Amino acid sequence: MTTAQRTRVKVCGLTRPEDVEAAVQAGVDAIGLVFYPSSKRAVSLSQASRLRNAVPPFVSVTALFVNAAVDQVQAVIDQVAPDVLQFHGDEQPDYCEGFGKRYIRAFRVGAPGLDTPASLLDECRRYASATAWLFDSYSAGYGGSGHAFDAQLLSKVSSATDSRPVILAGGLTVATVADSIRAVRPYAVDVSSGVESAPGIKSSEKIAAFLQSVAAA
Ligand SMILES: O=C(O)c1ccccc1NCC(=O)[C@H](O)[C@H](O)COP(=O)(O)O
């Protein structure tokens, strides 16, 4: 299998340096730090800086927000220096573009107005400036739900990405990720709950098993 075909992996919602180390050892391509205060996986600026310093070269750090104030996002950019931003709330294109950094736009598949292939495609096209489109399950908590969505809803998006990377998220586990990859053939997969022993506490065994399942897909 060529590198171009390899499905990349992001583990999201890390809160402990030992979990960053376990994810890196397992071979993840990216880690996600959550700056949404209502999340059980939220990290402070000082905590995030420590976690960021535990990440070696060639593993990227994504900073994740939900309807954050501009100055909060800017503080994370200034103090944590993430490689990529990720927006999970109701952020509009001009807001996402305003920070002058690459951003991933997350779409909550199944949300009102995002519950048909056509409506999802229309919404995606509004974020043509995004470096990648991430498709996650619709949940009241905006993300990290542990629930999957019907991949059929991506049927129109898959042929309209203009080669833009598609990231698949939402309830992925070691048992389901290979079938999800074969169904969608995403650029990357993103996981949080499925590799945890408790919210925000990652399991090194589950992370390693997840990466092995992705590699076997
Ligand atoms: O992880 C969270 O608690 C979270 C809260 C609010 C917005 C986004 C959040 N996570 C971002 C992610 O990209 C998750 O990896 C994604 O939602 C998938 O989570 P899971 O279904 O638990 O694998």
Side-chain angles (χ1 to χ4, degrees):
M1 176 179 287
T2 66
T3 304
Q5 296 166 342
R6 179 175 70 85
T7 303
R8 289 163 173 78
V9 180
K10 170 167 159 289
V11 174
C12 197
L14 294 104
T15 62
R16 305 186 306 175
E18 58 265 45
D19 293 346
V20 171
E21 183 176 338
V24 169
Q25 287 301 317
V28 299
D29 300 278
I31 67 155
L33 302 180
V34 176
F35 294 94
Y36 176 47
S38 300
S39 167
K40 293 177 181 177
R41 305 177 181 99
V43 290
S44 64
L45 281 173
S46 58
Q47 195 178 358
S49 296
R50 285 194 300 275
L51 294 170
R52 205 257 185 282
N53 291 337
V55 179
F58 314 131
V59 176
S60 72
V61 176
T62 300
L64 215 144
F65 304 92
V66 176
N67 300 327
V70 167
D71 59 355
Q72 183 201 3
V73 177
Q74 194 57 56
V76 171
I77 292 170
D78 295 342
Q79 298 183 45
V80 181
D83 299 292
V84 187
L85 306 179
Q86 184 172 313
F87 298 116
H88 268 254
D90 309 305
E91 301 88 350
Q92 295 304 298
D94 57 349
Y95 169 98
C96 298
E97 297 159 7
F99 300 99
K101 286 189 71 71
R102 294 187 303 162
Y103 75 90
I104 297 168
R105 176 67 216 172
F107 300 97
R108 302 161 69 202
V109 180
L114 295 184
D115 50 3
T116 66
S119 61
L120 191 54
L121 177 59
D122 289 343
E123 182 68 1
C124 289
R125 284 175 163 159
R126 297 181 59 237
Y127 295 87
S129 58
T131 192
W133 291 339
L134 184 147
F135 297 94
D136 194 358
S137 303
Y138 172 52
S139 69
Y142 289 93
S145 71
H147 300 298
F149 63 87
D150 179 0
Q152 285 302 312
L153 286 167
L154 301 184
S155 58
K156 288 185 181 296
V157 171
S158 303
S159 59
T161 62
D162 301 329
S163 77
R164 180 180 290 98
V166 165
I167 303 169
L168 184 61
L172 295 175
T173 68
V174 64
T176 64
V177 67
D179 285 344
S180 297
I181 288 171
R182 285 189 282 266
V184 178
R185 286 294 171 203
Y187 166 81
V189 291
D190 178 310
V191 64
S192 188
S193 309
V195 293
E196 289 182 333
S197 53
I201 307 300
K202 304 305 181 187
S203 157
S204 57
E205 292 79 12
K206 288 185 176 181
I207 292 174
F210 188 87
L211 270 290
Q212 288 170 358
S213 292
V214 171

